[in-house]
Structures are given as structure tokens and as C-alpha cells.
């Protein structure tokens, strides 16, 4: 009798082990604290809305905070791979963190979906970046939107101030490429740190150049600092921000100093204002409704939308990977999931419609951006 009991216990343990292996584990690192917290918090919130079962398989989301710190983002990624044996990594919130994670995921041959903007995260698609995908619009797409709008507003000269990191440098590089084509001259270029509390020296140099418009290449609430300083000094030219500020915390911190600002954004920021025939209106409205039902009316942001879109990519790719009969938790499944992500077509998200390919690990087109103006403390769609 004892022998039979032991046999049954062993069989039950084996069954449980097989069940545990069948779970799909998703490691998520977000910047829920630190300078990028206003971006990372809505991302973290969004993962509570994603399905916990896909194609009949249980999905576990293991969410860690990297505190907007590159070293911590890398540590989180290593933990996901070594301790949790994840099938895919999602994150991080910001470009420097995401770039630092690439070596880790490529070495482990684990697919990664970044929620940060720089094209450098996925371009060029080489031996390392073949494992990496992302959901935010590329800087060049948004830079083109800004430069086109500036030209339509009669702007000729531009002052630039951006973060002194990969985000700011990436933006300067992309905007510089397109400025000349649109008849714009960059007359001043300054940098500052995300944690700076004063940019007086940089602002004085911008003011001295007398640009028709100033572009701030920052993200989250730290992007308000240069604009507030320019207003304090009496700057009256046009102000532009990047899609890195498209959340309500930026409006709160910027207050009256950011009134009249133009910026490009994913359509989800102004879902209700989109024309009925806009190709992203339905999928953006779905995310907005789900998020605001959970977290309150008016709380949706573009950053949470990037997390939602990562979830949509996984929901579309996981069933394809499972059809290969590879088991979650194995190198074969991770490879199959990578291949499935790369083959996705016409996947609707909160920001756009994704069409991946071996040479394009973003997959968005011009349907993924609109121009927006800050009016009376809210976002106003610019047709």
C-alpha cells in the first residue's frame, strides 16, 4: 500500500511538473520609479489588463521595477532568464535601459519586446537585434511629423535641447536628417540630464540664437524643465515636444507653461477625436475603454499603449509558436516565438497596425502617428 502511495505521489509530482513547464513566462521590466516613472507606471498598470491565458496556455507576467536605471534593467533581465526561465522579455520603458538589455537577451537567445522609442533598439537587424522587437514609433517617423508641421507654420530656424543620453542624441540625429529637407536650420543644440533641476545656461544659449521654434527632445516630466525655463525668460516662439511627453503628468507639471505646445503622438492619445474612418480608432478605443474602466476616466496614456501593443503582439505570436509543438520554457519555443513575432501581419494595436518582417522589427507606418496641440490643459487633435 505504501509502495502504491509513493508511486501515485511521484506520478502526481511529475504531472504538476509538466503543467508548470507548459506555462508561458513573460518577464517585464518597467521604470515604475525614478525619472521615467510617469512613463513606467501606466505600462505597469497595463500588464494587469493582459490575458492570463493565450491559446489554452497559462501566461505568467513577472513584473519588476528597474527604477529608470540601466544597471537595474540589466539585472532584472538576467534574473528573468536565469531564475524564471522566461520565454520572452518585455521592456524597458526608456531607450538607454533597452539598449543595455540587448546583449543579455541575444546571448540567451530570448526574444525581447521593448517599450522604448529609439530606432537603434531594433536597427540594423543584425545577429543580436534579430531577437529584439519594439512597439513605440521610431524617432524618424515622429521627427518627420514635427518638421513637416514646422514648415507649414512658417518656421525657418530651430533651437534644439535634448536629454544627454541615447534618447536625446537619437532625436538630434533623426531631426537633423530631416530638417534641411524641410527648409529648417538648427541654430542651437543643447543637452541636459534627466535629473537636472536647472537648465539656465542652456536656455540662455537658446535665447541668444533667436530661433523661430524650439524642440525639446525629452520624455516624461523632466521634459517640462527646459520649456518652463524658456517661458520664464520670455521666449515667445513656437514650442515642440516629442511623443515622449504624451501623458497627463507632463500636463500637470508643465501647467500654463506648456500651453500651445505641438507634438506628434500615437492615435490613442486622442482616440475620441479621431475621424470615424481612422484605421486605428477601433483598436485604440478598445484599449482606452479597458484602461479607464480599471484606472479612471482620463487616465489613459500613450506609454501604457506601448505596453498594450506588446501584449497584442504576444497574443498574436504565441498561438503560432505553439503550433510548432515546441514546449514553453525551452530554447525551441523561444526561437519559435521569435520567428512568429517576425512574421506578424496586420496586428491592430493602440498606436497603429503592426506588420513585422526580417528587416523591420517595429512594423508601424504613418497610420501610427498624429499631430497634437496642448490646449486648455488637454490634448487637441490636429487634422
Amino acid at each position: 500500500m505504501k509502495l502504491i502511495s509513493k508511486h501515485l505521489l511521484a506520478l502526481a509530482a511529475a504531472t504538476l511538473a509538466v503543467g508548470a513547464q507548459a506555462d508561458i513566462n513573460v518577464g517585464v521590466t518597467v521604470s515604475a520609479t525614478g525619472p521615467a516613472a510617469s512613463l513606467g507606471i501606466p505600462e505597469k498598470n497595463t500588464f494587469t489588463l493582459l490575458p492570463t491565458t493565450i491559446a489554452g496556455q497559462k501566461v505568467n507576467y513577472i513584473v519588476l521595477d528597474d527604477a529608470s536605471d540601466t544597471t537595474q534593467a540589466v539585472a532584472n533581465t538576467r534574473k528573468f532568464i536565469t531564475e524564471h526561465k522566461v520565454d520572452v522579455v518585455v521592456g524597458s520603458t526608456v531607450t538607454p535601459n533597452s539598449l543595455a538589455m540587448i546583449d543579455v537577451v541575444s546571448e540567451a537567445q530570448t526574444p525581447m519586446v521593448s517599450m522604448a522609442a529609439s530606432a537603434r533598439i531594433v536597427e540594423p537587424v543584425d545577429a543580436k537585434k534579430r531577437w529584439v522587437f519594439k512597439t513605440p514609433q521610431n524617432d524618424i517617423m515622429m521627427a518627420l511629423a514635427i518638421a513637416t508641421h514646422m514648415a507649414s507654420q512658417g518656421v525657418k530656424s530651430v533651437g534644439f535641447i535634448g536629454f544627454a543620453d541615447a534618447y536625446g542624441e537619437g532625436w538630434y540625429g533623426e531631426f537633423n536628417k530631416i530638417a534641411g529637407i524641410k527648409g529648417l536650420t538648427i541654430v542651437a543644440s543643447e543637452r541636459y540630464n534627466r535629473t537636472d533641476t536647472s537648465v539656465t545656461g542652456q536656455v540662455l544659449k537658446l535665447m541668444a540664437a533667436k530661433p523661430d521654434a524650439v524642440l525639446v527632445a525629452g520624455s516624461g516630466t523632466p521634459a517640462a524643465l527646459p520649456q518652463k525655463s524658456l517661458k520664464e525668460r520670455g521666449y515667445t516662439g513656437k514650442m515642440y515636444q516629442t511623443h515622449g511627453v504624451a501623458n497627463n503628468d507632463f500636463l500637470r507639471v508643465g501647467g500654463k507653461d506648456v500651453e500651445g505646445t505641438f507634438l506628434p503622438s500615437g492615435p490613442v492619445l486622442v482616440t475620441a477625436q479621431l475621424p470615424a474612418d481612422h484605421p486605428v480608432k477601433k483598436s485604440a478605443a478598445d484599449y482606452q475603454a479597458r484602461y479607464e474602466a480599471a484606472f479612471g476616466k482620463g487616465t489613459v496614456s500613450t506609454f501604457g499603449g506601448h505596453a498594450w501593443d506588446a501584449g497584442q503582439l504576444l497574443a498574436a505570436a504565441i498561438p503560432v509558436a505553439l503550433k510548432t509543438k515546441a514546449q514553453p520554457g525551452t530554447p525551441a519555443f523561444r526561437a519559435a516565438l521569435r520567428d512568429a513575432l517576425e512574421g506578424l501581419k496586420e496586428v491592430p494595436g493602440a498606436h497603429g497596425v503592426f506588420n513585422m518582417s526580417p528587416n523591420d522589427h517595429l512594423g508601424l507606418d504613418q497610420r501610427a502617428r498624429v499631430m497634437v496641440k496642448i490646449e486648455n490643459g488637454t490634448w487637441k487633435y490636429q487634422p
Side-chain angles (χ1 to χ4, degrees), residues 237-310:
K238 291 182 171 60
M239 290 297 310
Y240 288 80
Q241 291 271 356
T242 74
H243 55 312
V245 303
N247 68 25
N248 288 337
D249 269 359
F250 175 78
L251 296 179
R252 175 183 57 78
V253 171
K256 60 181 176 51
D257 292 328
V258 300
E259 276 290 308
T261 301
F262 295 103
L263 62 141
S265 166
V268 70
L269 191 67
V270 287
T271 303
Q273 301 172 46
L274 296 174
D277 61 350
H278 193 284
V280 183
K281 188 177 179 79
K282 183 179 178 182
S283 49
D286 178 40
Y287 170 61
Q288 181 177 20
R290 291 169 186 262
Y291 191 93
E292 293 188 348
F295 299 101
K297 188 169 177 60
T299 56
V300 76
S301 82
T302 63
F303 302 100
H306 298 317
W308 177 259
D309 288 352

Side-chain angles (χ1 to χ4, degrees), residues 203-378:
V203 163
L204 289 174
K205 290 176 183 176
L206 289 171
M207 295 282 289
K210 299 181 179 177
D212 298 330
V214 171
L215 169 60
V216 181
S219 62
T221 52
L225 179 61
Q227 191 160 345
K228 292 178 77 70
S229 299
L230 282 161
K231 290 293 182 183
E232 287 170 6
R233 293 282 171 176
Y235 181 71
T236 57
K238 291 182 171 60
M239 290 297 310
Y240 288 80
Q241 291 271 356
T242 74
H243 55 312
V245 303
N247 68 25
N248 288 337
D249 269 359
F250 175 78
L251 296 179
R252 175 183 57 78
V253 171
K256 60 181 176 51
D257 292 328
V258 300
E259 276 290 308
T261 301
F262 295 103
L263 62 141
S265 166
V268 70
L269 191 67
V270 287
T271 303
Q273 301 172 46
L274 296 174
D277 61 350
H278 193 284
V280 183
K281 188 177 179 79
K282 183 179 178 182
S283 49
D286 178 40
Y287 170 61
Q288 181 177 20
R290 291 169 186 262
Y291 191 93
E292 293 188 348
F295 299 101
K297 188 169 177 60
T299 56
V300 76
S301 82
T302 63
F303 302 100
H306 298 317
W308 177 259
D309 288 352
Q312 301 315 294
L313 295 182
L314 293 180
I318 284 171
V320 177
L322 287 169
K323 286 178 182 176
T324 67
K325 305 301 181 185
Q327 285 294 307
T330 67
F333 184 75
R334 294 194 290 273
L337 185 53
R338 190 219 75 86
D339 292 347
L341 285 165
E342 191 173 81
L344 292 177
K345 302 297 177 194
E346 292 297 301
V347 177
H351 281 278
V353 181
F354 292 86
N355 286 282
M356 300 292 185
S357 76
N359 296 316
D360 184 358
H361 280 196
L362 167 63
L364 291 175
D365 55 28
Q366 292 302 314
R367 292 175 289 182
R369 59 90 167 167
V370 296
M371 283 301 294
V372 174
K373 185 180 183 182
I374 298 175
E375 282 187 6
N376 300 316
T378 60

Side-chain angles (χ1 to χ4, degrees), residues 47 113-114 140 157 289 307 339 366:
F47 281 96
V113 182
S114 173
I140 187 64
S157 58
D339 292 347
Q366 292 302 314

